[in-house]
Amino acid sequence: MSVLSFPRLYFKGAIQWDPCTFNNNDWQQMPTYDATNAALNWPYLNGQGITQDNFPQTFRPWAITLQEDTQDSPAGARIPTEWNMFGTHGVSFVQHGAGQITQIIGGTLGVGKSVTNGDPIIGAKVALSGDNGRGPGRLVDTNPSSFWSSQVFWGKFAFAAAGIGFSGPLNFRMHSRWLNLNRIYSTDRALTAPAASVACCLQTCIPTSDVNWENSKASQLVQALRDGASAPGAKGIMIRFTAYVNLYFVNGIFNSISTMPRNFTELADVLAAAWAAFNKNGDTSKFFSNPCYSHVVGAVGVWNDGELASVPGGRYLVPLEAIAPVQPAAPTAAPSGPLGHAQAAAAASSPNTTVLGPVAAQVDEQAGIVSLDLSSTMPENGTPGQWPSDLTKTDFGALTLGVQTATGFTPVATIDYEQYARASYEATAGIVDITLPDPSVLKSGPLAIRAQGVVALAEQPFAAQTDSRGIYLNQEGAASFNVSVFNMGAPAPGASVLVAQYDQGLNLVPSNLTHNIHFTNGTLSTATSGGITTNVTTVVADDKGVATVSIAADAPGFPVLAFFPYSGTAPALPAALNPGPPWSESICFAYYTTVRVLPFDDGVPARFIALWNATHDSTQAWNFVYTQILYLYDMLFSVMLEFVNLGSQSAVEKNIDKIWPMISKAAAAESTFAMPITRDLSAGKRLTLQLWIYLVANKYNVPELTAESIPAGWAPK
């Protein structure tokens, strides 16, 4: 099953994340964006002297001004636009210079059958690109203020050496899974800011019929993968990778960008210079991206029947207890870090405890093997006084895999430090294969992993997962999605799933307050936790272990729908899905989907139509479209000025033929060229913008405009 079966190809390198950070609201002291309504946060901005009358002149200068932030931790000088004002939301694997090449480094055909040299696919570059292989993929958060809703839209995955390789198109977007907020082990808070220690796993699959194989017989590894993907019970190929130890302010190191700020003070200076050039003569040549980079290890294997496309499968272990390393880092001096604040030296005391990340396990009884995916499990050392981490794995000593039964813990196998240390981790993407004389013992109870006599990781026997991790609903919209239920890694027909709604702060939504969605199928009821009574539904898995959940929109917002699978008595709900502890209730390891209920803008087209029919004034029509729709993207996504000035009526009018396909409903669904890339354009505002484009294309010669004025299949020429 999956990349935990054979054959496997391994790759390593780095990945670039280039989001525009202006709508993130990471800084509590500077909440610029009203995400619920897809608008600037006018109540907050008015307090900064920025109003709906003067924002074209006041907003950008304020956004790049260095300001002291006392509310966030660690405190320090920051700018409201955050670290990447000109971000494109691009996602791509790094292919830069000689030291940052993302490539296949080897593979395995079975236990003891590693292939690390001699195969021509080794050294093949790994590429993630956009629609039809053009441009990069795109990183978009369903909720821009969250860390748990990231998704990657992409168009093509390719693994290619000279005349050898394989590739395929998008079938399933990727979502951040196995979130680990503690991936860097350090006593130094500065080493993990702003989000250096956040790691996640991403997975996607490509059906066999869509995979393009090039000269596969020339490579033993590629041909084995092709044969496996074509075997009975196989559906295609699976690509899984983990991004970890994130680097910020590294222009000129992982890329060729000549503007190289190393902290927020320097960033404010170069942004001021860029805007001075633009304000003088419209020069955008000083605009620059300032991406984040993550280290990456990954594996490619066979995608089989019964496996989800974007969710790592298998028996799932999550943190239970925090543990301490056996070899703590020594204290050092405290130089300045890359974010411009001093780094504290570690105290020479007993080491801090930390939780490990999740594990997926697969047992192959016939082959006598248990395979563990530790790609998201073991942290790297954050050496105090040094930036970044040196990628050395923190030493927790030997780990013991076993089974937790009513009578206690039964050890089954030992995993020595060398098996999860950096060299082994990078060579096999964190996958550890263990040969067992009797793997059937692993069926006798939930799996567990102990370290230093403590159960650090414990199996959740029931799991409920969905490929529909990012759902978009418009006003009066509805959707249905599937949830696959597993018991100890196998489909669980007849199992029940309790589904509850949490708000964007990860708290249960009380029944007597406004909901973002309501459930429209299953057994509807209420449940109470922490004094909060909430509406829930219970759905039952079919004979394949798949349940269906149906929802409808109630109010704009960002609900999280959490799944609680069970057999017998329904489990108690947690009152909140906080990052933890208890870790079994943490959003990092929970089963859930994220929903974006878009602003309720169905009345906007009627207002625009009434304005046009009453005035037939092209200037008033433009002002309506700009102040109601385009102003937001003009202000927040400044990189658009390199392509079209969204604040200029003439510039937008000249580009309506290019804008039209990018704002379509179809483009918003999966395209990497969708506008806005953030996918927060409601159906009502989309129709309004389309009606305006129709007016422009007809030289404003439309005596009577209606919502149905645009003929089916029409497009501007």
Side-chain angles (χ1 to χ4, degrees):
M1 292 175 63
S2 75
V3 297
L4 294 183
S5 60
F6 303 107
R8 299 182 206 124
L9 281 71
Y10 304 120
F11 62 93
K12 67 181 289 285
I15 194 167
Q16 170 184 283
W17 313 101
D18 188 36
C20 176
T21 57
F22 209 174
N23 69 336
N24 283 182
N25 281 357
D26 288 334
W27 310 144
Q28 297 180 50
Q29 192 163 316
M30 308 170 194
T32 304
Y33 183 50
D34 175 2
T36 298
N37 297 303
L40 290 183
N41 186 359
W42 293 116
Y44 166 73
L45 292 174
N46 287 343
Q48 311 303 311
I50 302 167
T51 70
Q52 288 170 285
D53 293 325
N54 67 20
F55 75 88
Q57 296 78 40
T58 59
F59 184 65
R60 286 172 179 147
W62 168 84
I64 62 173
T65 300
L66 200 65
Q67 303 181 35
E68 194 65 27
D69 182 354
T70 59
Q71 293 185 22
D72 295 286
S73 178
R78 300 183 173 93
I79 55 177
T81 189
E82 303 199 23
W83 46 271
N84 198 14
M85 185 177 200
F86 298 113
T88 65
H89 286 267
V91 178
S92 57
F93 289 110
V94 176
Q95 306 290 347
H96 177 69
Q100 289 90 30
I101 304 298
T102 308
Q103 60 188 343
I104 293 177
I105 59 169
T108 183
L109 302 173
V111 174
K113 298 180 180 179
S114 296
V115 180
T116 57
N117 56 59
D119 192 300
I121 197 62
I122 295 176
K125 293 182 178 180
V126 183
L128 174 69
S129 53
D131 294 0
N132 301 313
R134 296 182 298 128
R138 303 290 179 182
L139 173 68
V140 180
D141 289 345
T142 311
N143 176 356
S145 297
S146 75
F147 63 83
W148 56 84
S149 69
S150 297
Q151 52 192 339
V152 175
F153 294 81
W154 60 279
K156 182 180 180 181
F157 239 116
F159 302 79
I164 301 171
F166 53 98
S167 62
L170 168 76
N171 281 269
F172 306 93
R173 84 181 75 137
M174 295 182 284
H175 303 272
S176 55
R177 310 278 183 175
W178 289 359
L179 292 164
N180 186 344
L181 307 185
N182 304 281
R183 182 58 185 256
I184 295 178
Y185 176 81
S186 176
T187 56
D188 182 355
R189 179 75 174 90
L191 277 171
T192 62
S197 63
V198 178
C200 71
C201 177
L202 297 109
Q203 177 178 299
T204 192
C205 293
I206 304 172
T208 302
S209 59
D210 285 350
V211 181
N212 176 41
W213 306 95
E214 185 177 5
N215 197 16
S216 62
K217 292 183 178 180
S219 164
Q220 184 182 22
L221 286 171
V222 175
Q223 187 60 44
L225 180 64
R226 183 174 186 175
D227 291 343
S230 303
K235 298 171 66 175
I237 64 172
M238 176 180 290
I239 304 159
R240 182 186 302 174
F241 62 92
T242 297
Y244 62 103
V245 184
N246 310 315
L247 308 176
Y248 295 82
F249 295 96
V250 290
N251 279 357
I253 300 173
F254 279 75
N255 58 41
S256 299
I257 298 173
S258 59
T259 304
M260 299 180 288
R262 293 293 181 252
N263 51 53
F264 279 113
T265 301
E266 295 178 10
L267 180 61
D269 290 340
V270 293
L271 286 176
W275 283 109
F278 177 81
N279 292 331
K280 182 178 181 180
N281 55 18
D283 178 14
T284 61
S285 65
K286 293 185 181 296
F287 288 7
F288 63 95
S289 288
N290 188 31
C292 166
Y293 291 85
S294 301
H295 297 274
V296 164
V297 294
V300 186
V302 176
W303 178 34
N304 290 298
D305 288 340
E307 295 177 334
L308 293 171
S310 67
V311 186
R315 298 177 66 173
Y316 183 47
L317 287 72
V318 302
L320 184 64
E321 298 287 346
I323 58 174
V326 297
Q327 294 291 335
T332 61
S336 178
L339 302 186
H341 49 261
Q343 297 176 186
S349 58
S350 58
N352 290 349
T353 60
T354 188
V355 292
L356 304 183
V359 173
Q362 176 180 298
V363 181
D364 186 337
E365 287 191 61
Q366 185 175 358
I369 299 169
V370 57
S371 298
L372 304 175
D373 187 342
L374 305 183
S375 62
S376 296
T377 310
M378 311 305 294
E380 282 73 23
N381 284 326
T383 307
Q386 295 183 19
W387 184 281
S389 161
D390 62 7
L391 300 184
T392 299
K393 287 288 187 179
T394 309
D395 185 355
F396 294 94
L399 310 178
T400 303
L401 173 68
V403 178
Q404 193 76 43
T405 65
T407 58
F409 179 81
T410 302
V412 174
T414 298
I415 305 165
D416 293 324
Y417 173 70
E418 289 72 19
Q419 292 176 273
Y420 65 81
R422 178 182 178 181
S424 298
Y425 176 80
E426 293 181 351
T428 64
I431 299 174
V432 176
D433 298 308
I434 303 172
T435 302
L436 299 175
D438 181 18
S440 65
V441 68
L442 297 178
K443 286 186 173 181
S444 61
L447 299 179
I449 291 178
R450 296 184 67 166
Q452 305 166 38
V454 175
V455 177
L457 296 157
E459 181 177 5
Q460 292 185 341
F462 276 100
Q465 299 279 21
T466 182
D467 279 325
S468 301
R469 188 64 170 270
I471 298 171
Y472 292 83
L473 291 179
N474 273 286
Q475 186 172 352
E476 299 187 3
S480 295
F481 60 94
N482 290 335
V483 178
S484 294
V485 189
F486 303 93
N487 186 5
M488 297 179 70
S496 298
V497 182
L498 182 67
V499 188
Q501 181 178 178
Y502 292 77
D503 62 23
Q504 63 184 34
L506 301 179
N507 299 302
L508 270 179
V509 178
S511 299
N512 61 346
L513 296 184
T514 300
H515 299 74
N516 297 120
I517 63 95
H518 65 273
F519 301 110
T520 60
N521 77 324
T523 301
L524 305 179
S525 61
T526 61
T528 301
S529 177
I532 299 172
T533 299
T534 189
N535 296 329
V536 299
T537 189
T538 301
V539 293
V540 178
D542 63 16
D543 58 359
K544 294 183 179 180
V546 179
T548 300
V549 181
S550 298
I551 58 175
D554 282 343
F558 304 92
V560 174
L561 307 184
F563 316 137
F564 301 92
Y566 67 96
S567 178
T569 303
L573 294 178
L577 298 175
N578 294 323
W583 306 106
S584 60
E585 298 176 0
S586 166
I587 187 67
C588 298
F589 313 110
Y591 310 122
Y592 66 92
T593 187
T594 59
V595 182
R596 176 28 161 155
V597 183
L598 292 156
F600 281 13
D601 294 327
D602 283 3
V604 177
R607 289 164 48 206
F608 177 73
I609 290 168
L611 172 70
W612 173 255
N613 289 337
T615 67
H616 294 91
D617 186 323
S618 62
T619 299
Q620 289 193 54
W622 161 254
N623 287 338
F624 184 98
V625 166
Y626 181 77
T627 58
Q628 297 296 313
I629 305 172
L630 294 181
Y631 88 95
L632 178 70
Y633 309 106
D634 182 29
M635 291 294 104
L636 292 186
F637 301 100
S638 303
V639 70
M640 285 300 299
L641 291 168
E642 297 183 22
F643 307 97
V644 56
N645 184 348
L646 294 178
S648 165
Q649 179 178 355
S650 61
V652 178
E653 288 179 344
K654 290 176 182 177
N655 286 277
I656 58 171
D657 58 327
K658 300 179 180 66
I659 295 172
W660 180 265
M662 294 180 178
I663 64 170
S664 69
K665 181 179 179 180
E670 295 294 346
S671 174
T672 58
F673 292 99
M675 288 181 59
I677 202 65
T678 47
R679 284 165 162 85
D680 50 11
L681 186 68
S682 65
K685 288 187 175 179
R686 174 183 294 112
L687 176 57
T688 303
L689 187 52
Q690 290 170 330
L691 288 169
W692 178 79
I693 289 174
Y694 181 72
L695 292 179
V696 175
N698 285 279
K699 301 185 182 342
Y700 294 101
N701 185 22
V702 180
E704 190 70 21
L705 186 65
T706 71
E708 292 76 35
S709 286
I710 305 173
W714 179 89
K717 298 179 180 178

